[in-house]
Amino acid sequence: GGGVSLAPEPATQDFTSCSWYRSAITDDNSRILTYYPGPSPVQQNGPTHTGRETAGPGCALHIAGLTLSDTGNYTVRIDTLAVRCPRPPSPIHLGVSGVNITMSPSVPIEPEAVTLSCEARGSPVSYSWFKDNEILEAGSRVLLSSDNQTLTLDPSSRNDSGSYTCLATNTVSSQNATVRLDVLYGPNTPSITPRQEVYAEGSTLQLSCRADASPAAVFIWLFNGAPLASSGSDLLVPSLSVSQSGTYTCVVIILFAGRSSYTTLEIAVLGEAPENGTFTLTCNTSPSADTVLWLRDGASLVPSERLVLSPDNRTLTVLNVTRGDAGTYRCEVRNLVSTNHSEPSNVTVAYGPDSTRIDPPGPIDLTLGSPLTLTCVADSVPALSYRWVVNGTDTNETGSSLTFNPTTLDHQGTYECQAQNPITNRTAWASVTVRFPTSPTGLSPGAIAGIVIGALAGAALLGGLLYFLLRKTGG
């Protein structure tokens, strides 16, 4: 809101014109005004004139009604009329021309040092450096040569990316050149999402890999060290099987720089084999393996009528599956040089429902208004789905429990629970009877009904007798 005056020091009297610029570079695009002194001074406004700037004697610049946008660098250029005086000959100064910037290396990569060198024709020439129109000063990472011709960034950073300008000036003229610097970086250590480590057999595995890098990186997915067909930052594996348990690796590569980074995620797929059914496990190993052994929960497996091995021992088939076959399976591979183990495969045996019942057991005698919770219980793997039926009518309730609080006479009857295993497709039923043997007065519902019927019959008989007496009297 205030005002400010900028005046060159020392004051210049003999000049033909002066120009003010709203930048550190005398570029006509940033010119505010040009002032011509004389008996009738003339002010010629430039592209950045806002209507608040005026010039006065001595080439002073006055800015009224200051705003935040007035913040910045201001440059004044003063042109004088050369006056010939008797004096010794002086050197001839050539104007600045041919300003050029060279960059080394041509493709800088963080944190390698990068150097910008500025050259110009003319004599003598002084140099200044700017980044994104802000003057650069020497600092911890910004190194300037003694003549300011060379700018070095050591070490370089991705934040150094931007437009760099070299301004070359002498007593005759000035000229600048600009170059774009893009510091490439990465790839940083990538991250995989989601970090879920356990999946059910048949579910979908969907992973995303992200890494900070410039330019855009190439993504490669590995499973147990072997490349997958999927490319790109996302991996989709539908309908997981137990054999797909293992280590998933995301590798990020910047090809032109030969730089890479990676991260891994361990995935376990829980298999569910139906009781009395069959399941097969395959050991993926190189042909150089001399011996392949199978272990369950760390103990070696011996082939039998139910545990069948392929001729090369790489495939294990379990027939007539029992609940005891559940556990963690690994294959062990050996050759003359080393021994190695596969990632674990967790196998769950699906069975049931067995021993289905409703708790509490019936018949259940209740007092009106008391709470009631019925729970359907069954021995089963995996978790069951439930259906409740009351007096032959489906309740649309699918949880393992039913709760009523408070209870009313409408809650008495026969409750049935259907428990179904989604893997074995077996279904079991259980039922219980709920009743209210006594009312709050201590009478059973049957006794209450008898009293009510008797009372209604007595009332009807009394009404008939009174009618008869009235008719008799009237006659």
Side-chain angles (χ1 to χ4, degrees):
V4 67
S5 293
L6 306 176
E9 292 287 349
T12 303
Q13 301 300 328
D14 299 326
F15 63 93
T16 59
S17 67
C18 67
S19 299
W20 282 94
Y21 299 86
R22 198 184 298 275
S23 78
I25 302 172
T26 56
D27 183 354
D28 193 63
N29 292 328
S30 64
R31 186 170 63 88
I32 303 172
L33 56 83
T34 299
Y35 176 73
Y36 299 90
S40 300
V42 175
Q43 175 175 314
Q44 182 186 64
N45 296 330
T48 61
H49 188 269
T50 67
R52 297 178 289 108
E53 298 88 2
T54 57
C59 196
L61 175 66
H62 307 286
I63 307 175
L66 288 170
T67 67
L68 288 177
S69 62
D70 293 321
T71 302
N73 295 313
Y74 288 78
T75 302
V76 61
R77 171 179 170 173
I78 301 174
D79 296 321
T80 61
L81 181 64
V83 179
R84 296 187 178 275
C85 301
R87 58 184 176 184
S90 59
I92 297 175
H93 296 286
L94 300 177
V96 177
S97 63
V99 181
N100 182 57
I101 299 175
T102 57
M103 180 167 57
S104 178
S106 57
V107 182
I109 304 175
E110 182 186 62
E112 299 172 348
V114 58
T115 298
L116 302 178
S117 298
C118 186
E119 293 183 357
R121 292 189 295 272
S123 63
V125 179
S126 61
Y127 298 89
S128 302
W129 287 93
F130 302 83
K131 178 192 175 187
D132 298 330
N133 291 328
E134 295 291 335
I135 192 165
L136 282 174
E137 303 287 349
S140 59
R141 292 190 313 107
V142 180
L143 308 176
L144 293 171
S145 61
S146 57
D147 57 4
N148 271 21
Q149 273 192 266
T150 301
L151 166 67
T152 301
L153 304 172
D154 187 16
S156 65
S157 164
R158 65 195 70 182
N159 297 323
D160 292 327
S161 297
S163 295
Y164 286 77
T165 298
C166 169
L167 175 63
T169 59
N170 66 7
T171 57
V172 178
S173 64
S174 65
Q175 194 180 83
N176 64 77
T178 300
V179 68
R180 175 71 191 183
L181 172 64
D182 289 308
V183 179
L184 307 185
Y185 59 88
N188 292 355
T189 301
S191 61
I192 297 178
T193 56
R195 299 297 298 180
Q196 181 178 339
E197 297 180 351
V198 179
Y199 289 80
E201 187 175 25
S203 61
T204 297
L205 175 65
Q206 190 168 5
L207 301 176
S208 293
C209 185
R210 297 291 181 266
D212 195 11
S214 176
V218 174
F219 293 82
I220 298 175
W221 287 92
L222 308 176
F223 172 62
N224 290 338
L228 293 174
S230 177
S231 62
S233 59
D234 296 329
L235 174 67
L236 178 66
V237 183
S239 189
L240 283 169
S241 64
V242 173
S243 62
Q244 289 170 306
S245 295
T247 302
Y248 288 80
T249 303
C250 171
V251 182
V252 187
I253 304 173
I254 297 182
L255 292 177
F256 81 91
R259 299 170 65 174
S260 65
S261 185
Y262 70 93
T263 189
T264 62
L265 179 63
E266 200 78 21
I267 297 295
V269 181
L270 302 182
E272 291 181 335
E275 191 175 27
N276 300 320
T278 300
F279 71 85
T280 300
L281 300 176
T282 300
C283 185
N284 296 314
T285 182
S286 63
S288 62
D290 295 333
T291 305
V292 178
L293 302 176
W294 287 90
L295 303 94
R296 181 179 65 220
D297 297 332
S300 298
L301 292 177
V302 178
S304 65
E305 292 183 358
R306 290 197 315 107
L307 304 179
V308 181
L309 293 174
S310 62
D312 60 2
N313 280 19
R314 283 174 168 79
T315 300
L316 168 68
T317 301
V318 181
L319 307 173
N320 298 321
V321 173
T322 67
R323 300 177 192 184
D325 293 325
T328 300
Y329 287 76
R330 289 177 180 264
C331 65
E332 180 181 280
V333 292
R334 300 177 181 175
N335 60 19
L336 295 176
V337 179
S338 63
T339 299
N340 203 354
H341 291 82
S342 69
E343 298 298 328
S345 293
N346 298 308
V347 176
T348 303
V349 176
Y351 62 88
D354 298 339
S355 307
T356 306
R357 69 183 189 279
I358 295 177
D359 283 340
I364 301 173
D365 294 334
L366 292 178
T367 301
L368 283 173
S370 61
L372 171 64
T373 296
L374 300 177
T375 302
C376 193
V377 180
D379 187 13
S380 174
V381 173
L384 300 168
S385 61
Y386 297 93
R387 173 179 168 230
W388 287 90
V389 175
V390 179
N391 296 327
T393 301
D394 194 333
T395 64
N396 295 321
E397 295 289 339
T398 57
S400 60
S401 297
L402 283 179
T403 297
F404 306 104
N405 188 17
T407 53
T408 67
L409 288 173
D410 293 336
H411 292 133
Q412 64 184 344
T414 300
Y415 288 74
E416 295 176 283
C417 163
Q418 180 195 61
Q420 184 175 25
N421 188 314
I423 301 298
T424 65
N425 290 322
R426 290 178 56 188
T427 301
W429 287 86
S431 64
V432 68
T433 300
V434 176
R435 60 191 182 185
F436 297 94
T438 60
S439 69
T441 61
L443 298 176
S444 68
I448 294 174
I451 292 174
V452 171
I453 293 172
L456 292 175
L461 178 61
L462 179 60
L465 178 59
L466 290 174
Y467 174 77
F468 174 77
L469 291 175
L470 288 173
R471 292 279 297 170
K472 180 75 173 177
T473 305

